[in-house]
């Protein structure tokens, strides 16, 4: 008998617009010792399924049909007291955002003790030792000292390890990991996933890994279920799903997953692939950064965020700036877009030094329109009180003085250019999807026809199929408008698709730079190799690619 | 042609706002009730002397201290004035004092709080200490002091009530502005060519409005009580002007001798007003928050 079986599960939510069926007749089973991957894009019902399983649905949601059975226990009808005993001890969960999942004002050691004592796995006298053991199990160095740490003192990856320690403290038989590595750096992602995989194998647990990343699921799961709109569209062996997807949706997901050897057009479904545009790169530099430094005054002495970097961006060129969090890439882009003043150094833009104009007054500088930016977090970068139309019109009103009908026409022209349906222009940000917000963000940035556009991880929060469309849109816009890009990202595969030239940064320094193909195929620096190795690469796919090449 | 199109669009936009208000009222019966009560108060304030059955200042010694009757719903006072008329007419003055005081403290508090929250530094430190100092006083005693020092007039009641409320607004705005100072949309606004002042005033500050609305409505009730309290102890409004605080104060002398209606009815009016404003808060917040729209 399988450990967990879900039969025809239906979950519905009551909302202002009526009832929404989030999960519609889902059936699946997890065997003992099996790792099942549930892959789907946002809104596919994959997280809701796991919450329904734990009976942790929001108050407006309910299980409206089907059966949930865990080792013979009917989870749908079990009493709340039974569920409380099951949660944590039998079925455990790793949450999406480790920082939010930890109590910010309690020491992490105490939080682990709480779980242990709740399920009578430890007594007051043994709790501390057990908690330290749990920290050791997730390979935290110096667990005795970390026991006394507060979540804010730990890095994102470290917090996720604590969450894993919490989830595994009581030796559950089923582990649910809901997007366990979203928001973590790529090398941290690999470390965390490897750790989870090791612990699952070591303890003979079953696991359910929920992710939007097909490549990641393929690498770590025995079996994959692909979900769309609350239903399973396809399931099976990861290798088979990649090599011979049966359902068109799976095909689309496989295509859209960035991987080595792909071109930006090949991410799109076959019928939408148009010939890639020519992207001429001029020999004249548009932007030249010379010995740029930025030092912050921290509480424990100066923090050197950027330590004297120099590089050039040619007219029409797309440069990728790659690095993990804390490498100084965000500081660099903030300085280049003139929101932050550098400590020293020159930013030559068409030969003029921009660093001479302080960031505070640059907003009224005539060169303001020439340098624009697409922000990372599409939700945070829009004023919640402004409609999409208002947001796109803002730079036009302030920087070009367009008014009335001319302004309205220009906004609609931009919406057409980025493929945003015109009726959506009158919506507020919270009424738009992630992909639509990305389009509005791009429309806003190109509205004043900049020569230089900084893209700060513009697709980091998007589903892969939307990411594929947005990346192609960017390539088309670059060809049409002749803009130079500085593409800031941690995802080397995406950078390779979009950039001619790559700069790898770590700790505020440039480690390596060169043409994209050269850096990716023959990385000179060990760190670049490490980054490349950490990117999930479905083994099955790698094989087919190499055999296809032969 | 295009003109009609824009007008139609404007209408649709307006329609959206109205539909949103209708939705907020429909979805929450308490808000609907609060708005209905507020409408009653506003009517009384605007139409006051027109709908009052008697002249609120007309004395009639032969008709003094009559209990509530069909002619005099709330009875008459010691000078024979109709209590019902006086309660209605007093609404205008009481609402005017509280709204003016709240508007003033909202304005000054918003400006000071925004500056402190956006620029921080020494300005923030100085303003915060000033607000701490104001808040350290027993607020009613401070208001009494201000009115006593500035002079016993209605304007001074407004100023005093405003001053003691400023710190609450400033603190709230400071916090709301501060968390949005480096938000993506603020940076995007700068890229769009907005100077710091414009970013603050047009982009960041409006986002502080929803929590401010709750504060405003609670504060309106509180300001009415404060004004009535000051009148009660003989500061500000002077007899024979009809004002709830004074009416309660004057009527209090007669409770012992059994003429309860003199103090009870203006007291109930006061309670009604305060209750209305307290109920109004959540509804106002939902109306000014575009995120509540679907």
């Amino acid at each position: 008998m399988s450990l967990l079986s879900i039969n025809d599960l239906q979950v519905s939510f009551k909302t202002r617009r009526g009832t929404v069926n989030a999960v519609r007749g889902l059936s699946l089973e997890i065997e003992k010792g099996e790792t099942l991957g549930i892959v789907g894009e946002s809104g596919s019902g994959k997280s809701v399924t796991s919450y329904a399983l734990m009976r942790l649905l929001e108050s407006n949601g309910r299980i409206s049909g089907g059966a949930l059975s865990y080792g013979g226990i009917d989870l749908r009808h079990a009493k709340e007291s039974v569920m409380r005993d099951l949660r944590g001890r039998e079925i455990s969960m790793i949450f999406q955002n480790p920082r939010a999942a930890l109590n910010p004002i309690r020491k992490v050691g105490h939080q682990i003790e709480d779980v242990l004592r709740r399920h009578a796995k430890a007594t007051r006298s043994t709790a501390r030792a057990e908690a330290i053991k749990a920290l050791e199990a997730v390979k935290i160095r110096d667990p005795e000292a970390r026991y006394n740490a507060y979540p804010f003192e730990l890095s994102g990856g470290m917090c996720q390890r604590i969450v894993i320690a919490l989830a595994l403290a009581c030796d559950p038989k089923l582990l649910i990991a809901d997007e366990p590595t979203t928001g973590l750096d790529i090398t941290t992602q690999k470390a965390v996933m490897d750790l989870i995989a090791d612990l699952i194998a070591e303890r003979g647990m079953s696991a359910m890994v929920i992710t939007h990343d097909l490549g990641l699921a393929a690498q770590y799961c025995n079996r994959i279920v692909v979900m769309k709109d609350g239903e399973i569209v396809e399931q099976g062996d990861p290798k088979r799903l990649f090599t011979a997807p049966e359902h068109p949706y799976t095909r689309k997901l496989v295509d859209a997953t960035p991987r080595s050897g792909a071109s930006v057009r090949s991410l799109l479904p076959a019928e939408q692939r148009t010939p890639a545009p020519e992207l001429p790169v001029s020999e004249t530099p548009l932007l030249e950064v010379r010995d740029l430094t930025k030092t912050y005054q921290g509480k424990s002495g100066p923090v050197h965020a950027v330590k004297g970097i120099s590089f050039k961006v040619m007219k029409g060129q797309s440069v990728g700036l790659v690095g993990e969090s804390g490498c100084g890439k965000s500081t660099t882009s903030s300085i280049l877009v003139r929101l932050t003043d550098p400590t020293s150094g020159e930013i030559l833009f068409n030969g003029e030094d921009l660093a001479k104009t302080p960031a505070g007054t640059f907003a009224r500088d005539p060169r303001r329109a020439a340098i624009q930016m697409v922000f990372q977090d599409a939700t945070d970068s829009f004023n919640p009180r402004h409609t999409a139309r208002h947001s796109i019109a803002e730079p036009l009103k302030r920087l070009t003085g367009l008014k009335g009908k001319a302004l309205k026409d220009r906004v609609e022209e931009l919406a057409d250019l980025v493929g945003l349906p015109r009726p959506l222009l009158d919506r507020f940000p919270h009424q738009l999807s992630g992909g639509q917000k990305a389009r509005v963000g791009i429309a806003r940035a190109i509205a004043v026809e900049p020569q230089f556009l900084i893209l700060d991880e513009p697709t980091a929060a998007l589903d892969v199929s939307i990411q594929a469309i947005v990346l192609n849109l960017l390539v088309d816009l670059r060809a049409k408008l002749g803009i130079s890009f500085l593409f800031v990202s941690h995802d080397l595969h995406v950078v390779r698709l979009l950039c001619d030239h790559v700069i790898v940064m770590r700790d505020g320094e440039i480690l390596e730079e060169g043409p994209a193909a050269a850096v990716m195929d023959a990385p000179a620096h060990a760190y670049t190799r490490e980054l490349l190795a950490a990117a999930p690469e479905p083994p099955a796919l790698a094989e087919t690619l190499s055999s296809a090449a032969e | 042609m295009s003109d009609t199109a824009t007008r139609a669009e404007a209408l649709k936009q307006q329609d959206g706002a109205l539909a949103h208000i209708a939705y907020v009222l429909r979805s929450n019966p308490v808000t609907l009730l609060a708005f209905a009560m507020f409408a009653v108060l506003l009517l009384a304030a605007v139409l006051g002397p027109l709908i009052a059955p008697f002249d609120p200042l007309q004395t009639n010694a032969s008709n003094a201290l009559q209990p509530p009757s069909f002619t005099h719903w709330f009875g008459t006072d010691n000078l024979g004035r109709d209590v019902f008329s006086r309660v209605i007419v007093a609404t205008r003055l009481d609402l005017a004092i509280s709204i003016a005081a709240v508007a003033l403290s909202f304005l000054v508090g918003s400006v000071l709080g925004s500056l402190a929250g956006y620029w921080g530094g020494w300005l923030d430190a100085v303003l915060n200490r000033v607000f701490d100092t104001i808040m350290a006083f027993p607020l009613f005693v401070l208001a009494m002091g201000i009115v006593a020092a500035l002079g016993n007039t209605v304007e001074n009641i407004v100023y005093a009530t405003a001053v003691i409320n400023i710190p609450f607004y400033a603190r709230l705005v400071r916090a709301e502005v501060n968390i949005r100072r480096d938000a993506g949309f603020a940076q995007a606004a700068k890229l769009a060519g907005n100077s710091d002042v414009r970013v603050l005033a047009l982009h960041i500050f409006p986002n502080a409005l929803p929590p401010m609305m709750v504060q405003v409505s609670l504060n309106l009730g509180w300001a009415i009580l404060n004004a009535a309290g000051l009148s009660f102890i003989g500061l500000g409004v002077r007899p024979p002007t009809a004002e709830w605080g004074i009416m309660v104060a004057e009527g209090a002398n007669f409770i012992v001798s059994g003429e309860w209606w003199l103090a009870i009815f203006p007291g109930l009016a006061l309670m009604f007003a305060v209750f209305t404003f307290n109920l109004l808060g959540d509804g106002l917040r939902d109306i000014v928050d575009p995120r509540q729209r679907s």
Side-chain angles (χ1 to χ4, degrees):
Chain A
M1 202 185 80
S2 41
L3 183 69
L4 175 84
S5 86
I6 300 177
N7 193 14
D8 196 28
L9 177 72
Q10 315 260 356
V11 181
S12 57
F13 287 88
K14 269 207 185 78
T15 69
R16 187 161 155 178
R17 289 199 185 140
T19 309
V20 174
N21 295 315
V23 179
R24 301 184 294 182
L26 175 122
S27 304
L28 60 83
E29 300 204 329
I30 298 181
E31 304 295 332
K32 250 181 106 58
E34 183 186 36
T35 301
L36 176 77
I38 299 190
V39 179
E41 299 190 300
S42 39
S44 62
K46 55 191 194 306
S47 290
V48 172
T49 305
S50 65
Y51 284 116
L53 195 62
M54 299 281 271
R55 288 252 306 274
L56 289 172
L57 288 172
E58 284 171 49
S59 58
N60 61 341
R62 65 184 199 95
I63 301 173
S64 47
L68 291 163
S69 153
Y70 170 81
I73 305 170
D74 180 355
L75 293 181
R76 188 180 168 197
H77 299 107
K79 274 196 213 134
E80 188 49 36
S81 57
V82 176
M83 288 308 297
R84 274 203 296 273
D85 276 344
L86 285 178
R87 286 180 208 132
R89 202 175 63 188
E90 292 287 330
I91 310 177
S92 228
M93 198 156 174
I94 300 173
F95 293 92
Q96 215 170 88
N97 183 346
R99 258 182 226 289
L102 292 171
N103 184 340
I105 56 161
R106 272 177 76 72
K107 292 178 179 172
V108 294
H110 291 172
Q111 299 192 37
I112 297 175
E113 280 185 15
D114 290 344
V115 182
L116 288 167
R117 289 178 58 190
R118 165 71 186 79
H119 292 294
K121 294 275 179 182
T123 60
R124 188 187 289 261
S125 51
T126 61
R128 191 186 153 90
E130 289 289 325
I132 289 174
K133 222 188 271 174
L135 288 174
E136 264 165 20
V138 291
K139 303 193 176 118
I140 285 182
R141 259 173 280 156
D142 199 3
E144 304 262 347
R146 292 285 175 255
Y147 174 93
N148 286 316
Y150 290 95
F152 76 89
E153 297 172 318
L154 303 172
S155 68
M158 201 63 102
C159 279
Q160 192 57 294
R161 280 169 197 264
I162 304 284
V163 172
I164 296 170
L166 269 174
L168 299 184
C170 294
D171 272 321
K173 297 196 180 63
L174 176 63
L175 177 71
I176 301 174
D178 186 2
E179 304 267 9
T181 57
T182 306
L184 299 183
D185 278 328
I186 198 137
T187 49
T188 318
Q189 160 169 310
K190 185 169 161 50
V192 166
M193 282 313 295
D194 285 347
L195 173 70
I196 293 178
D198 287 350
L199 289 168
I200 288 172
E202 206 173 280
R203 303 184 183 204
M205 286 186 290
S206 304
M208 186 186 213
V209 177
I210 297 169
T211 176
H212 65 279
D213 188 339
L214 200 51
L216 187 80
Q219 200 169 345
Y220 291 97
C221 302
N222 307 117
R223 192 158 61 89
I224 290 180
V225 166
V226 180
M227 276 185 83
K228 181 178 190 268
D229 298 336
E231 288 168 320
I232 292 180
V233 295
E234 190 168 352
Q235 56 179 308
D237 176 63
K239 193 167 174 176
R240 211 266 306 145
L241 275 184
F242 261 93
T243 48
E246 277 161 17
H247 196 278
Y249 180 72
T250 319
R251 167 96 262 165
K252 189 173 140 194
L253 275 188
V254 170
D255 281 342
T257 304
R259 58 209 176 255
S260 50
S263 74
V264 67
R265 281 293 192 255
S266 71
L267 296 183
L268 293 173
E271 65 277 10
Q272 288 170 28
R273 287 177 203 161
T274 47
E278 285 288 314
L279 297 164
V281 176
S282 137
E283 289 296 313
T284 351
L286 175 70
L287 180 94
E288 197 177 341
V289 175
R290 283 190 196 154
D291 207 20
L292 194 72
T293 66
K294 177 71 188 176
T295 309
Y296 291 104
Q297 284 309 320
K299 273 184 186 150
S300 47
V303 180
H304 303 281
V306 178
K307 301 174 190 164
I309 58 169
S310 306
F311 62 89
K312 283 180 193 169
V313 179
M314 304 298 167
K315 279 196 173 120
Q317 195 181 31
S318 172
V319 174
L321 189 57
V322 182
E324 299 193 297
S325 40
C327 76
K329 61 186 197 298
S330 296
T331 309
T332 306
S333 59
S334 177
I335 292 171
L336 293 186
V337 83
R338 304 302 301 119
L339 285 172
T340 308
D341 281 319
T343 307
S344 70
E346 290 180 327
I347 308 163
L348 299 178
F349 186 74
N350 285 327
E352 291 173 57
D353 188 6
L354 296 183
K356 284 198 182 114
T357 316
T361 58
F362 199 77
R364 305 302 302 147
D365 194 279
R367 291 164 299 187
R368 174 69 279 172
I371 304 174
Q372 291 290 316
M373 179 160 171
V374 177
F375 290 86
Q376 175 174 17
D377 185 340
T379 308
D380 176 64
S381 67
F382 290 106
N383 191 330
R385 303 184 66 83
H386 290 174
T387 58
R389 182 188 298 281
H390 190 151
S391 290
I392 299 174
E394 184 74 21
L396 289 168
K397 276 192 281 192
R398 304 291 310 150
L399 293 172
T400 64
L402 278 184
K403 276 197 201 85
K405 182 150 185 342
L407 177 67
K408 186 168 175 285
D409 289 347
R410 174 72 179 141
V411 171
E412 282 171 4
E413 185 191 325
L414 284 163
D416 294 345
L417 194 61
V418 298
L420 183 78
R422 287 186 186 188
L424 297 186
L425 281 173
D426 291 310
R427 293 211 183 162
F428 287 99
H430 70 273
Q431 297 167 319
L432 297 169
S433 71
Q436 289 161 351
K437 272 186 274 198
R439 285 172 199 266
V440 177
I442 293 170
R444 173 173 68 182
I446 61 170
V448 288
E449 297 179 346
Q451 295 166 268
F452 182 53
L453 189 61
I454 296 178
L455 298 134
D456 186 6
E457 311 231 17
T459 61
L462 300 180
D463 284 326
V464 281
S465 62
I466 310 292
Q467 166 172 289
I469 295 168
V470 171
L471 292 179
N472 276 284
L473 170 68
L474 288 171
V475 168
D476 291 340
L477 287 174
R478 188 181 148 205
K480 211 178 281 178
L481 308 172
I483 311 177
S484 302
F485 284 171
L486 181 71
F487 193 88
V488 181
S489 181
H490 68 276
D491 189 335
L492 282 162
H493 288 318
V494 173
V495 166
R496 173 169 206 169
L497 290 171
L498 218 64
C499 303
D500 316 309
H501 193 86
V502 177
I503 298 170
V504 181
M505 271 184 88
R506 190 179 65 182
D507 296 336
E509 286 166 352
I510 294 180
L511 292 186
E512 180 171 4
E513 71 169 305
V519 173
M520 308 290 262
D521 293 336
H525 201 281
Y527 179 69
T528 317
R529 282 197 288 276
E530 197 185 323
L531 280 182
L532 281 165
E537 180 81 38
L541 186 79
E543 279 167 37
T544 44
L545 278 176
S546 53
S547 61
E550 276 160 21
Chain B
M1 172 61 209
S2 74
D3 216 46
T4 47
T6 19
R7 203 175 306 146
E9 206 152 80
L11 269 176
K12 208 175 74 199
Q13 284 268 315
Q14 207 173 29
D15 197 47
L18 284 179
H20 177 63
I21 293 175
Y23 167 77
V24 169
L25 294 184
R26 224 181 16 251
S27 65
N28 190 349
V30 175
T31 304
L32 186 63
L33 177 71
F35 272 80
M37 288 162 70
F38 186 56
V40 170
L41 277 179
L42 274 185
L43 268 179
V46 174
L47 301 176
L50 293 178
I51 52 171
F54 296 92
D55 182 343
L57 299 177
Q58 178 73 54
T59 55
N60 180 359
S62 64
N63 203 20
L65 293 174
Q66 294 298 310
S69 65
F70 191 72
T71 345
H72 300 286
W73 291 0
F74 292 177
T76 58
D77 68 4
N78 54 329
L79 298 174
R81 296 174 295 197
D82 181 43
V83 176
F84 180 57
S85 303
R86 285 176 66 77
V87 166
I88 290 181
V89 171
T91 315
R92 186 183 289 179
L93 181 60
D94 275 294
L95 276 194
I97 292 176
S98 64
I99 291 175
V102 167
L104 202 61
S105 41
F106 178 87
L107 215 73
V108 178
S110 298
V111 171
L112 295 181
S114 297
L115 296 179
Y118 192 75
W119 277 285
W122 63 268
L123 185 71
D124 188 26
V126 169
L127 283 173
N128 267 318
R129 294 300 82 74
V130 171
F131 299 144
D132 283 346
T133 313
I134 294 178
M135 287 167 97
F137 280 99
L139 294 181
F140 191 74
V141 177
L142 180 62
M144 274 166 57
I146 295 173
V147 176
L150 292 181
N152 210 349
T153 63
V154 175
E155 294 86 67
N156 288 339
I157 289 202
V158 172
Y159 297 140
T161 313
V163 167
I164 60 176
N165 277 326
I166 286 174
F168 298 99
Y169 289 96
R171 281 277 167 86
L172 186 65
V173 175
R174 180 190 169 276
E176 293 288 328
V177 167
N178 196 262
I179 52 171
R180 293 182 174 87
R181 183 169 64 173
D182 296 320
F185 71 82
Q187 300 194 336
K190 284 183 200 162
L191 291 191
N194 291 286
S195 57
D196 278 325
V197 175
R198 286 187 72 99
V199 171
L200 177 58
L202 300 180
H203 290 264
I204 298 178
F205 175 70
N207 281 290
L209 281 177
M212 294 283 277
M213 281 301 131
V214 177
Q215 179 75 16
V216 161
S217 84
L218 292 178
N219 228 231
L220 277 170
W222 196 83
I224 284 202
L225 272 185
N226 193 63
L230 287 172
S231 314
F232 184 89
I233 57 169
L235 289 170
V237 187
R238 265 173 286 188
T241 319
E243 197 279 335
W244 294 333
I246 298 187
M247 292 170 73
V248 174
E250 291 177 347
N253 302 325
F254 294 90
I255 291 179
V256 217
S257 47
E259 285 98 8
W260 49 268
W261 56 89
L262 265 64
I264 289 286
F265 289 110
L268 282 178
L270 202 50
M271 208 180 91
F272 179 81
V274 175
F275 192 52
T276 303
F277 289 127
N278 288 357
L279 286 185
L280 213 54
D282 288 355
L284 273 182
R285 179 199 57 203
D286 290 349
I287 285 172
V288 296
D289 189 352
R291 269 166 299 188
Q292 296 288 326
R293 302 184 188 194
S294 72

